[in-house]
């Protein structure tokens, strides 16, 4: 899909960080004029809707420096270089929550901020959860607390602003829809 | 919510653009060690789930330079300086689709990429849609095509990858859940 394509006139990378890079592209617009696009490049990520046998969701609370507050989110993390999303989802679930899963299925992949970033999040649904005896640790700069929420508790966390990110809102709505279709 | 707070040791703004800025913060981690956080600052945005009297969703197809492809998304756009989200939602709906709405209700607000950006999207549901006679225009560097999709068509667009962003996936699931609860 290339409708209204913006051809690159020039592209300059202004920052290369540990996680993201920033580039500014000069583009030719469909009407022949030129414009600037500020673009963040990101390696991509995975997120896991982990559902216990009792129908609860496993979430993690962690501090998010960009917002200067902590958020309750579904387990998630960046893809490592060359890593398959499925493997990454299994790894993040284990590192952040200590759980392994009997089944890990791809649900959807979506761009989080298509207006300025290419970050693509692959969302998986994990069931058949069991606590691992010696789970792998989180990254050394990562601190999380694991909590389990029913779908009603998760909905209340959204209303209270404790859950406030797109992938987790999507996950809660997914479980609400699943429950609605089953009943 | 300040659990696992990361105190700022120093903060450097490396780029200030038209839409986003980039800063790198040195932080003190909960274990006393220090770390770096790469952070994108964004003015915030609105998105509109616009539902026609026939239950179709109004969407726009536009080119997204970060992905070098076009995407079909719900109408959305950045908050202008000092603008109320509700007013912004009405403005973006009119500019991008030519529609006005009898009712515009706030549904949810979520951070799109909490790992590296502070972008907060305020999502509204618009109903009672009517075509405006002389709608305001899009921004001069914005080119969009309006399409109407049933929820089944939107679901197929997700499977085909034509719809591939978080807010629009959330919107489609919202309508699926609404329909499931009504039937």
């Amino acid at each position: 899909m290339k409708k209204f394509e913006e051809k690159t006139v020039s592209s300059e990378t202004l920052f290369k960080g540990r996680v993201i890079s920033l580039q500014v592209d000069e583009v030719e617009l469909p009407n022949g004029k030129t414009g600037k696009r500020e673009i963040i490049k990101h390696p991509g990520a995975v997120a896991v809707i982990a559902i216990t046998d009792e129908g609860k969701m496993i979430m993690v609370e962690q501090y998010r420096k960009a917002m200067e507050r902590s958020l309750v989110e579904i387990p998630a993390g960046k893809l490592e270089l060359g890593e398959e999303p499925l493997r990454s989802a299994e790894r993040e679930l284990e590192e952040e929550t200590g759980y392994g899963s009997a089944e890990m299925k791809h649900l959807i992949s979506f761009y989080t901020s298509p207006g300025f970033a290419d970050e693509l999040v692959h969302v998986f649904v994990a069931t058949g959860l069991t606590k691992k005896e010696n789970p792998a640790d989180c990254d050394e700069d990562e601190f999380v607390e694991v909590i389990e929420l029913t779908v009603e508790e998760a909905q209340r966390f959204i209303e209270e602003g404790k859950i406030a990110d797109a992938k987790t809102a999507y996950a809660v709505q997914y479980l609400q829809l699943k429950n609605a279709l089953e009943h």
Side-chain angles (χ1 to χ4, degrees), chain A:
Chain A
M1 294 168 77
K2 289 278 183 187
K3 193 185 287 270
F4 306 124
E5 183 173 0
E6 299 174 355
K7 296 217 167 67
T8 307
V9 177
S10 65
S11 177
E12 191 180 7
T13 297
L14 299 178
F15 174 79
K16 268 185 184 293
R18 204 169 53 92
V19 181
I20 56 174
S21 351
L22 165 71
Q23 70 187 50
V24 177
D25 287 5
E26 192 183 342
V27 299
E28 185 187 319
L29 300 170
N31 63 2
K33 295 187 178 179
T34 56
K36 296 251 186 193
R37 299 294 182 211
E38 299 160 0
I39 293 168
I40 298 299
K41 293 289 193 178
H42 185 282
V46 293
V48 183
I49 306 175
I51 307 171
T52 69
D53 293 346
E54 297 78 37
K56 290 185 176 186
M57 309 177 80
I58 312 281
M59 303 223 186
V60 293
E61 181 169 0
Q62 65 190 304
Y63 196 74
R64 292 304 204 172
K65 188 65 185 167
M67 277 71 70
E68 298 287 9
R69 56 165 292 197
S70 63
L71 286 173
V72 174
E73 300 171 42
I74 57 173
K78 287 180 300 292
L79 283 174
E80 290 181 1
L81 194 66
E83 190 180 38
E84 286 293 322
L86 174 64
R87 170 68 197 116
S88 178
E90 289 168 343
R91 178 179 56 72
E92 289 290 347
L93 181 64
E94 177 175 343
E95 288 177 1
E96 294 197 345
T97 74
Y99 278 99
S101 68
E103 187 168 53
M104 177 78 78
K105 281 171 79 169
H106 179 257
L107 176 64
I108 189 171
S109 297
F110 45 58
Y111 296 106
T112 54
S113 303
F116 69 93
D118 73 344
E119 184 193 31
L120 182 65
V121 176
H122 307 280
V123 183
F124 291 82
V125 176
T127 51
L129 304 178
T130 44
K131 270 277 179 196
K132 293 221 168 187
E133 289 213 1
N134 294 297
D137 284 338
C138 278
D139 294 344
E140 60 174 10
D141 66 350
E142 212 172 23
F143 301 84
V144 305
E145 181 173 286
V146 180
I147 54 177
E148 291 186 19
L149 297 177
T150 64
V151 68
E152 293 78 17
E153 287 168 337
Q155 181 55 40
R156 201 164 63 240
F157 270 43
I158 290 176
E159 286 155 20
E160 293 168 355
K162 292 175 184 166
I163 289 175
D165 77 295
K167 66 180 177 308
T168 307
Y170 185 88
V172 174
Q173 204 181 47
Y174 167 81
L175 209 58
Q176 288 175 320
L177 177 60
K178 186 167 173 288
N179 292 347
L181 294 175
E182 280 170 6
H183 293 117

